Amino acid sequence: EPEVTQTPSHQVTQMGQEVILRCVPISNHLYFYWYRQILGQKVEFLVSFYNNEISEKSEIFDDQFSVERPDGSNFTLKIRSTKLEDSAMYFCASRKQRLSLRFNEQFFGPGTRLTVL
Amino acid sequence: SQKIEQNSEALNIQEGKTATLTCNYTNYSPAYLQWYRQDPGRGPVFLLLIRENEKEKRKERLKVTFDTTLKQSLFHITASQPADSATYLCALRGMYSGGGADGLTFGKGTHLIIQP
């Protein structure tokens, strides 16, 4: 069964450094998402991406964040200058083109654990 | 502001019994509501979606109800098994800047423990 993959599984970085988290969504999906989950807290929406542009973003997704789909398969999240509070699990998700509400389920990847020191 | 509340942080149920989890929301008029399962260190896994005009939805041992008047959804697992132990998340379409792609807002989840 097709699945969303993410790399790396764990990223450790120093405060102020740039990180890029990578995702390969399911191949016939057209909507892509990033979420984060700080340890012990709820899953929080960051951004959605459709047709090569941002569709929605939350207040968390400030100028330090950017997303890109550099080729036909990868979807990346960049954090320009990491802060201690960026330490979290970052989940990528994807969804099919919505033909009806039946297809609103989102498929999540296994996550990248980001640790900022 | 919009809020999703799930009934408790931990729910202990004896194997074979029915587990019932609650999701309450405020300041939403959702067209649908979703339930996900999350295991420790893993991403959420979709379980069920129920639309605003549906009272009840079933899938194998799972049942979801949706009461838009009470602003509440109940999630039931019948004949519960230790393998059902996980955190169960309620999710609604969020209201974010831009609109249109259905970014989800999640509740904090209920940690369900099924004891043998």
Side-chain angles (χ1 to χ4, degrees):
Chain A
E1 187 166 327
E3 56 184 24
V4 176
T5 59
Q6 292 185 242
T7 54
S9 57
H10 191 189
Q11 173 92 47
V12 181
T13 190
Q14 295 290 325
M15 190 169 56
Q17 295 295 304
E18 175 183 287
V19 294
I20 297 176
L21 309 182
R22 291 183 168 80
C23 169
V24 178
I26 295 172
S27 63
N28 63 345
H29 287 190
L30 297 178
Y31 291 85
F32 312 117
Y33 307 83
W34 284 102
Y35 293 82
R36 79 172 187 191
Q37 187 173 31
I38 296 170
L39 189 63
Q41 299 190 24
K42 63 181 180 178
V43 177
E44 298 175 292
F45 170 75
L46 295 178
V47 66
S48 60
F49 194 83
Y50 172 70
N51 200 26
N52 284 318
E53 60 182 20
I54 290 174
S55 296
E56 290 180 310
K57 59 182 181 178
S58 71
E59 292 177 350
I60 302 169
F61 192 86
D62 61 21
D63 292 343
Q64 291 299 313
F65 292 89
S66 62
V67 288
E68 193 177 37
R69 187 153 162 84
D71 54 43
S73 59
N74 290 285
F75 179 50
T76 62
L77 175 69
K78 181 192 291 186
I79 309 175
R80 288 191 183 81
S81 177
T82 49
K83 307 183 189 72
L84 296 175
E85 54 265 36
D86 293 327
S87 294
M89 184 77 98
Y90 287 81
F91 295 109
C92 174
S94 68
R95 179 168 71 80
K96 283 184 180 181
Q97 173 90 19
R98 183 166 76 179
L99 300 177
S100 77
L101 284 177
R102 287 189 299 130
F103 297 114
N104 267 5
E105 63 182 285
Q106 294 184 19
F107 293 81
F108 284 76
T112 293
R113 181 169 298 286
L114 177 65
T115 302
V116 182
L117 303 176
Chain B
S1 64
Q2 299 158 334
K3 196 180 285 187
I4 300 174
E5 292 183 351
Q6 296 192 242
N7 62 337
S8 64
E9 289 199 356
L11 181 64
N12 284 274
I13 299 290
Q14 201 67 34
E15 182 178 5
K17 302 290 187 185
T18 296
T20 299
L21 286 62
T22 304
C23 173
N24 294 298
Y25 59 90
T26 53
N27 296 323
Y28 277 103
S29 295
Y32 58 85
L33 183 146
Q34 302 186 30
W35 284 89
Y36 286 78
R37 169 182 173 143
Q38 187 176 27
D39 291 286
R42 310 288 295 272
V45 175
F46 173 81
L47 295 174
L48 280 168
L49 178 152
I50 186 165
R51 305 182 199 188
E52 61 179 338
N53 61 350
E54 295 175 318
K55 296 284 191 217
E56 183 179 297
K57 199 79 166 282
R58 290 175 186 262
K59 179 182 174 183
E60 297 173 353
R61 294 184 296 110
L62 309 180
K63 184 179 86 171
V64 171
T65 62
F66 193 17
D67 188 327
T68 55
T69 302
L70 289 178
K71 296 187 183 295
Q72 182 182 79
S73 175
L74 299 179
F75 177 81
H76 307 271
I77 305 175
T78 58
S80 58
Q81 304 166 0
D84 295 327
S85 298
T87 297
Y88 291 85
L89 312 177
C90 169
L92 294 169
R93 189 210 187 292
M95 295 179 67
Y96 300 107
S97 170
D102 295 359
L104 295 172
T105 296
F106 285 88
K108 197 170 178 183
T110 297
H111 181 44
L112 178 65
I113 302 166
I114 307 297
Q115 296 175 333

